[in-house]
Structure formats: structure tokens, C-alpha cells
Amino acid sequence: MGDFLIETVGEAVAEVILSLLACTLLGCLALIAYLSWSFSPRLTIAGAGLLSLFLAHGAWQTFGTPAKGRRRGLTALTAASFTLVGLTALFLLLYATGCNCL
């Protein structure tokens, strides 16, 4: 009985910590978007376009036909960035949906 209680409380605390982290991350992303739009809407749109191209190249390298040899330089960077953004989006989808901040 004691092990079950410790495990249940541990899971509840971990869930609260992950939800708090997701809400903080979502708030920081919203703040960055707000501040950049306040500074320069045109630059924000241009930056979003460049970031989209960068991530599209990473997706193409990740899911496209495998090239011979190792990935180097920009190709490895875009593929790793695409993977990181995808994992962050999945994390936010799972844990930030219940943060009631919107």
C-alpha cells in the first residue's frame, strides 16, 4: 500500500511539474511573438518565413530519400532543428492543453 501511494503521489507531482513547464514555455513563446510583432511586423513576418524555410529543409532532409554518406553542416543542423521543434510541439500538445491560460 505504501509503494502504491508513493508512486501515485510521484506521478501527480511529475504531471504538475510537466504542465507548469509546458505553460511556461507556451507563455514565453507567446511573449516572444508579441514583442517581435511590437518591434517590427514586417521583420516578424520575414523571420517567420525564413524559419519556415529552414524547418522545411530539415523536414525534407529528415523524411526525404537518404543521401549517400553522412549529413554535414547545414543539412544536419536543419534536420536536428526540425526534430527539436517537432518534439517541442508534441510536448506542448500533450501538456499545455490543460493549462487554461488561453
Side-chain angles (χ1 to χ4, degrees):
M1 182 69 176
D3 290 337
F4 173 73
L5 185 61
I6 290 172
E7 185 177 329
T8 304
V9 170
E11 287 180 10
V13 168
E15 188 77 24
V16 167
I17 290 172
L18 287 173
S19 294
L20 182 63
L21 182 65
C23 287
T24 303
L25 179 62
L26 186 61
C28 288
L29 290 173
L31 180 65
I32 288 169
Y34 173 76
L35 291 176
S36 68
W37 187 263
S38 296
F39 178 70
S40 173
R42 289 180 183 162
L43 195 58
T44 302
I45 291 173
L50 286 174
L51 182 63
S52 297
L53 287 175
F54 184 78
L55 293 175
H57 183 263
W60 181 50
Q61 292 300 320
T62 301
F63 296 118
T65 57
K68 295 181 182 179
R70 297 184 326 159
R71 293 184 177 162
R72 296 185 183 184
L74 182 64
T75 303
L77 181 66
T78 58
S81 298
F82 172 74
T83 304
L84 181 67
V85 167
L87 290 174
T88 302
L90 181 64
F91 173 72
L92 287 174
L93 180 68
L94 293 176
Y95 289 103
T97 53
C99 92
N100 296 326
C101 54
L102 297 177

